[in-house]
Amino acid sequence: MKAALPSRRATHAGLWYTDDPKELESQLSSLLASAEEYKGAGLVKYIIGPHAGYAYCAKTAAWAYKCVDPNKYKRVVLLGPSHFVHINCCAVTKCGMYKTPLGGMEVDRETVEKLLKTNGFKTMEVGVDEREHSLEMHMPLLKHVFGERKVLLVPIMVGSISKEQEKEYGEVLAEFMKDDETLFAVSSDFCHWGKRFGYTYYKKEDGEIFESIEKLDRRGMEAIEKNDAKAVEQYFEETNNTICGRHPIAIAIHALQISGGAFETKFVHYSQSSKATSGSDSSVSYASAYSAKCI
């Protein structure tokens, strides 16, 4: 008899977002109600959303999830960057369930095992899984949007990988991008600005520091909207912008390109944790987007 698989606890609940189910449900309902309706006509294949504390980024994240029709999907591939453990690959979970204060989502173990057989994926220890926030911060929104529907989860932590690896992982995941019943959720914050982040890009002609940051971010957003991995790669080579989910984003774009067809990618919301006006300030930017099939 096989041993029961562990469940990943919601370790950031009560810290980065409320652990009270009623309060969380109410907060997410309100944020989604205030987000703009999805105006595209095609099936959404991936979304991008932030992963900071909800006090900072939940509004922006809700705009991405407002684009998701929960009746369309049976599986979610969740891609998020590794913040605390240095790995040069992608890692999948050992767990059979990801818990949230709103209930759990079952892990698609069949797909996880399939990915492990490609030899490009490793398994992350439960402690590593639970320490990383980039995946967890999407979970309450996923659970809220999908409710009690039978939707399986494929959580993937993306390490510090090369541009060649980005393409290789995109090739592996392209078959899931082709599947109309699979949604990709990409977890990423945008510019981390300030001395504490080691990044102080500023063009005085762009205005105040926070305005310069926004213009920098929007150049990256425009590159992503082209659905061209080379355009995104060139943007990072030119700017070194501290977008922590650059590798998950690149993987999703490669998977999209390899899967074939025409897609519209559009950013729908942007915000900053604070408006930096001096060199002693710091801020983190948040952006949300969808990529949908063209009809």
Side-chain angles (χ1 to χ4, degrees), residues 27-287:
Q27 178 189 20
L28 297 181
S29 293
S30 177
L31 289 170
L32 285 162
S34 64
E36 189 174 281
E37 294 286 345
Y38 170 56
K39 293 181 178 178
L43 179 71
V44 173
K45 285 308 304 166
Y46 81 75
I47 58 172
I48 296 172
H51 53 237
Y54 278 9
Y56 297 101
C57 78
K59 179 178 180 179
T60 297
W63 278 64
Y65 280 91
K66 190 64 173 274
C67 301
V68 175
D69 181 345
N71 298 305
K72 299 288 188 182
Y73 309 99
K74 293 184 179 178
R75 173 170 51 207
V76 176
V77 176
L78 176 59
L79 297 168
S82 174
H83 287 83
F84 303 107
V85 175
H86 180 77
I87 55 172
N88 58 359
C89 65
C90 287
V92 290
T93 185
K94 280 187 172 182
C95 297
M97 178 80 66
Y98 264 44
K99 291 184 175 180
T100 83
L102 306 178
M105 286 188 71
E106 183 182 347
V107 172
D108 184 351
R109 291 306 312 175
E110 182 179 342
T111 297
V112 167
E113 297 303 325
K114 183 176 182 179
L115 293 176
L116 285 170
K117 288 178 182 177
T118 67
N119 296 321
F121 291 80
K122 294 183 179 179
T123 303
M124 54 179 153
E125 296 298 324
V126 176
V128 170
D129 199 342
E130 292 186 336
R131 188 182 181 195
E132 179 54 56
H133 62 274
S134 70
L135 302 174
E136 180 181 337
M137 298 308 292
H138 278 245
M139 290 307 305
L141 276 156
L142 283 168
K143 182 60 182 175
H144 176 84
V145 167
F146 286 106
E148 298 307 315
R149 294 171 181 83
K150 178 70 171 180
V151 178
L152 297 177
L153 182 70
V154 184
I156 301 173
M157 187 173 75
V158 182
S160 180
I161 58 176
S162 66
K163 59 187 178 184
E164 291 78 18
Q165 287 176 294
E166 290 171 348
K167 185 177 181 181
E168 289 167 4
Y169 284 114
E171 289 170 347
V172 172
L173 295 175
E175 70 167 283
F176 303 106
M177 190 68 81
K178 289 178 184 177
D179 177 19
D180 285 348
E181 294 183 321
T182 297
L183 171 73
F184 279 68
V186 182
S187 178
S188 182
D189 295 337
F190 270 62
C191 184
H192 296 64
W193 192 94
K195 292 177 181 177
R196 70 189 182 101
F197 297 117
Y199 190 76
T200 53
Y201 170 99
Y202 175 46
K203 276 193 171 183
K204 194 172 183 179
E205 59 266 34
D206 288 339
E208 296 277 5
I209 292 172
F210 68 88
E211 293 172 315
S212 176
I213 294 168
E214 179 168 354
K215 287 183 179 180
L216 172 70
D217 281 331
R218 290 200 179 276
R219 281 176 56 199
M221 292 153 69
E222 289 168 5
I224 292 166
E225 288 178 336
K226 292 178 181 177
N227 299 324
D228 181 355
K230 287 191 178 298
V232 176
E233 179 186 320
Q234 182 178 351
Y235 168 77
F236 282 117
E237 287 176 352
E238 292 174 356
T239 67
N240 281 318
N241 193 2
T242 48
I243 298 175
C244 56
R246 60 181 291 180
H247 298 305
I249 290 170
I251 289 172
I253 293 172
H254 277 296
L256 198 73
Q257 287 182 277
I258 295 164
S259 69
F263 299 87
E264 177 197 41
T265 300
K266 182 178 180 181
F267 278 84
V268 292
H269 199 271
Y270 177 83
S271 62
Q272 295 174 352
S273 62
S274 61
K275 301 294 185 184
T277 58
S278 75
S280 61
D281 292 338
S282 64
S283 74
V284 180
S285 308
Y286 312 114

